[in-house]
Amino acid sequence: MKIPETLRITIIGVFAALTIILAIVPLPMVGYVNLAAVIETVGAVVGSTGILGGIGVTIGALIYNLYRPSELFLYGGFLTMASGAISIALMMYRRYKITSIFAIILLGLFFIAPGNIYVPTWALWDKYLALILIFPAIYLVKKTFKKELNKKYLFITVFLLSFVGLEIDAMMGNLLFGLYGYSLLGLTAEQVADLYIPFALAAAWERLIMAFISTLITVPLVIAIDSNPRIRWLIYRG
């Protein structure tokens, strides 16, 4: 189906607006992860055709960040949500090479960033796991998002997409933190590792919980949209 440009802009605008609203509303936190992060999964999966949802989330995060810069990442704060949403959108398009290369670059840059040369490699074990999970996630996308939605694998597919996307979001956050975020907190490079080691397990649990919540919200939306012939085209089938 050829999507009119006006409709594309409308869809992007809707997801951008939702992102801004969720960023403004004081939502609960799961550890250090704000519940607003659910929009990364919702937008990237529900609006996957043309990667419209991912683009909308990126624009919404950018606009909000220009209005209220991140206390930790300043005007680069929007890049975390943008990375998560676009990564999920790319996986919906079965682009495992691009997604994997992007994640590897983020990890590599993190370890050479000025403040993070002291962080032991094992402390980011969940990021390596997310990198590996890109492949089964895309395999399940192929089995789930076909011409006829395969509901049998829908929950686990969305869960894996969400977890990987949230971890890539975190990888971008780590990079920004290693470049300049830690200095905004008044920390020295030597103190950086002290922050990562105690949270080596907790950080993964936070994103597992967030992925689960995101999945609980996204799956019913996918089923509802798929059952409506007028809007089921929103979800990319491959």
Side-chain angles (χ1 to χ4, degrees):
M1 173 182 176
K2 186 176 181 180
I3 309 172
E5 288 302 316
T6 53
L7 185 54
R8 288 177 180 268
I9 293 172
T10 299
I11 296 168
I12 290 172
V14 167
F15 283 109
L18 286 172
T19 302
I20 293 171
I21 291 170
L22 289 176
I24 293 174
V25 175
L27 294 173
M29 303 282 285
V30 178
Y32 287 97
V33 186
N34 192 292
L35 198 60
V38 299
I39 195 63
E40 295 178 25
T41 305
V42 173
V45 175
V46 170
S48 49
T49 294
I51 316 184
L52 301 177
I55 295 172
V57 171
T58 298
I59 292 174
L62 174 60
I63 292 172
Y64 177 77
N65 199 211
L66 291 174
Y67 162 70
R68 184 176 294 176
S70 167
E71 294 181 1
L72 190 58
F73 305 134
L74 302 178
Y75 290 103
F78 78 97
L79 290 172
T80 55
M81 290 190 73
S83 297
I86 294 298
S87 296
I88 295 173
L90 287 172
M91 286 188 285
M92 284 293 292
Y93 265 77
R94 292 71 161 156
R95 299 294 191 266
Y96 67 90
K97 288 183 180 179
I98 298 175
T99 312
S100 300
I101 291 171
F102 179 56
I104 290 170
I105 289 173
L106 288 179
L107 274 174
L109 290 176
F110 170 76
F111 282 112
I112 63 174
N116 292 290
I117 54 174
Y118 301 96
V119 177
T121 55
W122 64 263
L124 301 183
W125 65 273
D126 54 316
K127 309 301 182 290
Y128 313 139
L129 175 62
L131 183 59
I132 294 170
L133 290 177
I134 290 173
F135 300 95
I138 292 178
Y139 171 77
L140 286 172
V141 164
K142 293 177 182 177
K143 293 183 70 68
T144 304
F145 295 99
K146 300 187 290 187
K147 186 175 181 180
E148 294 299 325
L149 182 68
N150 187 344
K151 298 177 184 178
K152 178 181 178 181
Y153 301 107
L154 182 57
F155 191 93
I156 185 62
T157 301
V158 174
F159 178 77
L160 285 181
L161 288 172
S162 183
F163 178 72
V164 172
L166 288 167
E167 286 288 357
I168 292 178
D169 171 326
M171 290 181 201
M172 177 60 76
N174 282 347
L175 175 59
L176 295 177
F177 185 76
L179 289 174
Y180 61 87
Y182 74 98
S183 62
L184 296 177
L185 294 177
L187 299 173
T188 64
E190 290 82 356
Q191 293 172 315
V192 172
D194 294 336
L195 292 176
Y196 281 88
I197 294 173
F199 294 104
L201 291 176
W205 276 110
E206 291 171 5
R207 287 172 183 86
L208 281 171
I209 294 170
M210 274 302 305
F212 183 72
I213 295 172
S214 299
T215 304
L216 289 178
I217 295 172
T218 305
V219 167
L221 287 173
V222 169
I223 294 173
I225 289 171
D226 181 70
S227 64
N228 189 329
R230 293 185 177 182
I231 57 175
R232 70 189 306 269
W233 55 266
L234 273 169
I235 302 171
Y236 181 73
R237 311 284 167 161

